[in-house]
């Protein structure tokens, strides 16, 4: 076959349904296209809301397992993936950078891809992966050695792969990429190793790097291989050379607001944790110790990577309050278009959709120690005595004063995504009520080594619960209801037009609550702890729900006294799919 004929044949094949391609339109309409789930967050605004209501409060009791799929192997670590569903196939990622394609009709495996990982990877917080992205005929995901890989949707063969950053320096990658207008966009992980947070965009077809945007002031962005603009102003909020290893990892990926054509990534903690080394230990009238843009949400032009606006949730950060949590575009019950985000620092923020300007903030956990509240500019009202003390001020210079701090560094809310219901106008926020003893120590940067300058022990605050799923009104900040759970919540939440709120617990229960009252309507024991993210879709006139079970993540590794409280939980690795049979949809 000559090249001309081959091209003509390929052209024909491309237009046939057997070679279906996910388009920008598919991504843009994902929330409303209920027979498939092609984006992380069930829509790039990350609302995790489905308009499906076949499954509802009246019939959820009839939801039954359809099939379960084992990830196999002995690599049973935390399973945090969100499944994607396209063209009869479910795609999931697994611990240790694995990918599985599964027949949604039967639960049988179609292909599996295992990334070959080098010795010496440095994931801080378990070997998890939170999901992939689909565009064209490819599946994209990131690996623990900080690579981005494009696989053929049908075969699992590698189409291209590229290095995001050097794993030996402490970089890794675990978030789901996001695709906007043909660019596959990733962040990076490694904030505990003095890396520099960055967002990168590549051509989805070829893998070619289009732009990069570092998150720490003083670093230069790039566009098509050339320097573009500097992030911020050199040394405006960082002393000396500290910005060079300033952290701000973009480890939770991004969201996209189509209405304003804005890509939003969060930046993690400034490095090191010891705030006194970054000029952040004392308040300064000119805010020169704020350490931008760490602990911030940063809005970018998706075509160029230029910064449109930023909002720093925790200036002078000193508690590992990463600013990475998802920013969700929503319309409130009065018709106002806004953003919302629930921060590690314990406050739930509402921002203006046009320019990220602060609107309001309220605590979403109890007994916050480090700030009295948020002022009307969005800046925390710090309680200075609640900052871990400066080791340089200690008699031996070795350990600063220990303070009790709540939330703990694992956050009022960590990575586990919240959901927004267009039905109730409420956010369903998976939070945790816990605190920590924290102190600072001296530290110097060493490539590839932990760069904290802090020690800590996490402890529960209440005897009978840590996890707390709250229904929060984004107009008033009011908690409409709360569902308490003994173990910390570490999995995603989903809500539906059927009036249901789905989430899982480390104890293994997959639960459906009433979206208006928080009453438990259904639950199923999955056999291991749930730290994954549920989805729902419709197929042949029936509604399906999937979630992965497999206990792990940061809590067992970093959770101190909380970790020892939950060390009885069994590991696993099982993807569950549930179905509401047609004949039971009207029964109850
Ligand atoms: Ca961190």
């Amino acid at each position: 076959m000559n090249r001309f004929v081959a091209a003509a044949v390929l052209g024909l094949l491309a237009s046939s349904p057997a070679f279906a391609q996910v388009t920008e339109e598919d991504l843009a309409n994902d929330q409303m296209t209920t027979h498939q789930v092609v984006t992380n967050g069930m829509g790039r605004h990350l609302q995790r809301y489905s308009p499906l209501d076949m499954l509802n409060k009246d019939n959820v009791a009839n939801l039954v397992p359809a099939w379960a799929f084992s990830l196999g192997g002995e690599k049973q670590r935390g399973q945090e993936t969100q499944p994607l569903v396209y063209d009869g196939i479910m795609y999931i990622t697994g611990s240790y950078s694995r990918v599985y394609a599964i027949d949604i009709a039967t639960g049988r495996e179609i292909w599996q891809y295992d990334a070959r990982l080098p010795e010496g990877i440095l994931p801080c917080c378990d070997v998890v992966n939170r999901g992939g992205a689909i565009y064209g005929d490819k599946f994209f995901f990131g690996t623990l050695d900080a690579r981005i890989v494009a696989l053929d949707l049908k075969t699992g063969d590698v189409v291209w792969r590229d290095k995001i950053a050097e794993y030996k320096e402490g970089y890794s990658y675990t978030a789901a990429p996001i695709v906007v207008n043909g660019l596959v966009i990733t962040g990076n992980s490694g904030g505990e190793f003095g890396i520099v947070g960055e967002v990168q965009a590549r051509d989805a077809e070829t893998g070619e790097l289009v732009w990069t945007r570092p998150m720490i002031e003083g670093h230069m962005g790039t566009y098509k291989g050339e320097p573009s603009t500097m992030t911020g102003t050199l040394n405006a909020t960082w002393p000396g050379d500290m910005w060079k290893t300033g952290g701000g990892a973009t480890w939770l990926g991004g969201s996209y607001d189509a209405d304003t054509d804005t890509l939003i990534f969060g930046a993690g903690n400034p490095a090191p944790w010891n705030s006194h080394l970054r000029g952040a230990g004392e308040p300064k009238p000119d805010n020169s110790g704020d350490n931008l843009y760490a602990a911030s949400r940063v809005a970018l032009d998706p075509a160029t990577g230029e910064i449109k606006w930023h909002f720093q949730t925790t200036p002078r950060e000193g508690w590992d309050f990463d600013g990475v949590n998802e920013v969700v575009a929503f319309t409130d019950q009065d018709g106002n278009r806004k953003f919302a985000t629930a921060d590690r620092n314990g406050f739930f923020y509402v921002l203006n959709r046009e320019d990220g300007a602060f609107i309001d903030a309220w605590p979403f956990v109890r007994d916050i120690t480090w700030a009295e509240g948020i002022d009307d500019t969005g800046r925390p009202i710090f309680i200075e005595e609640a900052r871990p003390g400066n080791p340089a001020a200690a008699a031996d210079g070795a350990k600063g004063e220990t303070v009790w701090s709540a939330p703990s560094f694992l956050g009022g809310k960590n990575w586990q995504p919240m959901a927004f219901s267009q039905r109730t106008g409420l956010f369903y926020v998976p939070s945790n009520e816990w605190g920590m003893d924290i102190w600072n120590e001296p530290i110097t940067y060493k490539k590839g080594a932990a760069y904290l300058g802090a020690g800590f022990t996490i402890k529960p605050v209440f005897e009978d619960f840590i996890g707390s799923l709250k229904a929060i009104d984004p107009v008033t900040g009011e908690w409409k209801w709360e569902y308490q759970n003994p173990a910390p919540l570490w999995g995603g939440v989903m809500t539906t037009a059927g009036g249901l709120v789905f989430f899982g617990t480390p104890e293994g229960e997959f639960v459906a609550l009433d979206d208006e009252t928080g009453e438990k309507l259904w639950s199923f024991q999955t056999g291991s702890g749930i730290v994954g993210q549920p989805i729902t879709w419709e197929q042949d006139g029936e509604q399906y729900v999937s979630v992965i079970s497999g206990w792990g993540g940061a809590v067992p590794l970093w959770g101190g006294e909380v970790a020892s409280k939950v060390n009885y939980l069994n590991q696993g690795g099982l993807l569950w799919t549930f179905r509401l049979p047609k004949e039971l949809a009207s029964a109850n």
Side-chain angles (χ1 to χ4, degrees):
M1 205 183 314
N2 67 35
R3 276 179 66 188
F4 187 78
V5 176
V9 169
L10 283 172
L12 280 174
L13 290 174
S15 63
S16 80
F19 280 71
Q21 303 248 338
V22 174
T23 62
E24 170 65 21
E25 205 183 347
D26 285 322
L27 301 180
N29 297 329
D30 195 33
Q31 182 169 60
M32 301 311 292
T33 314
T34 53
H35 65 275
Q36 60 191 35
V37 178
V38 292
T39 61
N40 175 56
M42 296 172 63
R44 289 179 296 190
H45 45 33
L46 311 184
Q47 287 186 351
R48 297 170 194 278
Y49 170 77
S50 170
L52 286 173
D53 61 1
M54 287 180 232
L55 178 66
N56 55 49
K57 296 181 193 187
D58 293 333
N59 60 26
V60 67
N62 299 323
L63 189 63
V64 290
W67 50 260
F69 174 88
S70 170
L71 272 61
E74 291 164 1
K75 298 172 173 177
Q76 294 186 347
R77 298 296 318 188
Q79 305 299 346
E80 296 187 351
T81 195
Q82 184 212 288
L84 298 176
V85 172
Y86 180 65
D87 201 17
I89 302 176
M90 179 177 291
Y91 299 89
I92 61 164
T93 59
S95 54
Y96 288 100
S97 309
R98 295 174 291 172
V99 182
Y100 302 80
I102 302 157
D103 181 342
I104 47 170
T106 62
R108 265 201 304 261
E109 180 173 302
I110 296 170
W111 55 256
Q112 177 177 344
Y113 172 81
D114 288 34
R116 216 173 300 140
L117 297 170
E119 292 291 319
I121 51 170
L122 293 165
C124 72
C125 311
D126 202 3
V127 288
V128 298
N129 189 285
R130 304 194 169 101
I134 299 181
Y135 182 71
D137 56 1
K138 298 177 191 65
F139 179 88
F140 306 93
F141 86 112
T143 64
L144 292 166
D145 59 341
R147 287 173 197 276
I148 169 84
V149 183
L151 302 175
D152 182 293
L153 272 180
K154 296 289 175 196
T155 64
D157 294 337
V158 174
V159 183
W160 58 260
R161 117 178 78 196
D162 200 12
K163 188 164 147 179
I164 293 172
E166 176 53 57
Y167 75 87
K168 290 174 185 159
E169 295 178 12
Y171 287 93
S172 56
Y173 196 60
T174 57
I178 181 167
V179 176
V180 178
N181 290 322
L183 297 179
V184 54
I185 300 161
T186 51
N188 61 23
S189 306
E192 274 55 62
F193 296 94
I195 59 93
V196 173
E198 185 167 89
V199 183
Q200 300 180 347
R202 287 175 175 77
D203 184 307
E205 203 52 48
T206 63
E208 192 189 349
L209 191 62
V210 176
W211 56 257
T212 63
R213 172 53 54 194
M215 288 289 118
I216 300 296
E217 75 178 17
H219 292 269
M220 190 62 79
T222 65
Y223 182 73
K224 295 192 174 166
E226 302 289 332
S228 57
T229 54
M230 182 184 283
T231 296
T233 305
L234 181 62
N235 285 137
T237 65
W238 286 83
D241 283 345
M242 296 302 286
W243 59 279
K244 290 182 178 172
T245 52
T250 47
W251 60 265
L252 199 43
S255 61
Y256 175 65
D257 175 35
D259 288 355
T260 58
D261 189 30
T262 303
L263 181 69
I264 307 175
F265 270 71
N269 62 283
W273 284 20
N274 179 344
S275 63
H276 303 281
L277 298 173
R278 295 182 266 103
E282 307 284 335
K284 294 178 179 163
D286 60 355
N287 296 338
S288 59
D290 281 3
N291 303 148
L292 290 169
Y293 296 118
S296 300
R297 309 302 192 279
V298 183
L300 304 174
D301 179 335
T304 63
E306 290 302 312
I307 295 176
K308 297 172 83 163
W309 52 260
H310 73 276
F311 180 80
Q312 190 173 36
T313 41
T314 316
R316 304 175 55 213
E317 199 286 313
W319 303 264
D320 190 34
F321 292 152
D322 292 39
V324 295
N325 286 359
E326 75 279 20
V327 174
V328 179
F330 73 105
T331 302
D332 72 19
Q333 298 294 74
D334 301 324
N336 302 308
R337 301 185 315 159
K338 297 172 178 171
F339 290 122
T341 190
D343 199 83
R344 282 262 279 262
N345 71 19
F347 290 95
F348 182 94
Y349 294 81
V350 177
L351 306 177
N352 184 298
R353 187 92 78 86
E354 299 306 321
D355 57 6
F358 175 76
I359 295 175
D360 219 332
W362 310 273
F364 67 92
V365 290
R366 297 169 176 84
D367 303 332
I368 293 172
T369 60
W370 68 279
E372 279 172 41
I374 305 296
D375 74 16
D376 55 16
T377 69
R379 195 174 173 88
I381 305 161
F382 288 96
I383 299 171
E384 294 297 339
E385 317 80 79
R387 175 178 298 271
N390 189 352
D396 58 359
K399 185 179 173 184
E401 190 197 344
T402 302
V403 297
W404 167 254
S405 186
S408 80
F409 72 90
L410 288 177
K413 172 180 166 304
N414 200 282
W415 82 278
Q416 65 273 12
M418 61 188 182
F420 171 74
S421 172
Q422 294 181 5
R423 203 185 87 86
T424 61
L426 301 174
F427 277 88
Y428 301 99
V429 182
S431 72
N432 289 307
E433 303 269 357
W434 49 14
M436 63 180 166
D437 289 325
I438 180 169
W439 62 91
N440 285 158
E441 298 164 353
I443 183 84
T444 49
Y445 175 76
K446 190 168 158 279
K447 195 172 276 192
Y451 186 48
L452 300 185
F456 40 79
T457 305
I458 292 186
K459 298 174 178 177
V461 176
F462 303 104
E463 260 178 39
D464 50 345
F465 77 101
I466 300 165
S468 158
L469 178 63
K470 297 182 180 92
I472 297 181
D473 183 335
V475 176
T476 63
E478 186 193 347
W479 304 354
K480 293 286 185 183
W481 53 257
E482 178 184 21
Y483 181 94
Q484 299 178 344
N485 193 67
L489 296 180
W490 209 254
V493 181
M494 171 183 75
T495 185
T496 72
L500 302 170
V501 177
F502 283 93
F503 71 106
T505 71
E507 292 90 338
E509 295 288 323
F510 185 42
V511 181
L513 303 180
D514 182 310
D515 63 356
E516 289 162 308
T517 65
E519 183 197 348
K520 191 198 272 192
L521 301 177
W522 174 88
S523 75
F524 182 90
Q525 174 55 245
T526 60
S528 179
I530 296 176
V531 291
Q533 310 168 60
I535 60 162
T536 188
W537 77 99
E538 70 159 307
Q539 183 185 322
D540 304 325
E542 295 182 334
Q543 190 171 343
Y544 285 72
V545 180
S546 285
V547 72
I548 199 162
S549 173
W551 171 238
V555 175
L557 301 173
W558 293 86
E561 290 182 12
V562 170
S564 51
K565 214 175 158 175
V566 295
N567 64 8
Y568 69 93
L569 297 168
N570 287 339
Q571 291 184 313
L574 208 56
L575 173 72
W576 285 95
T577 289
F578 302 90
R579 159 180 175 249
L580 178 69
K582 248 180 222 155
E583 59 275 20
L584 298 178
S586 55
N588 53 50

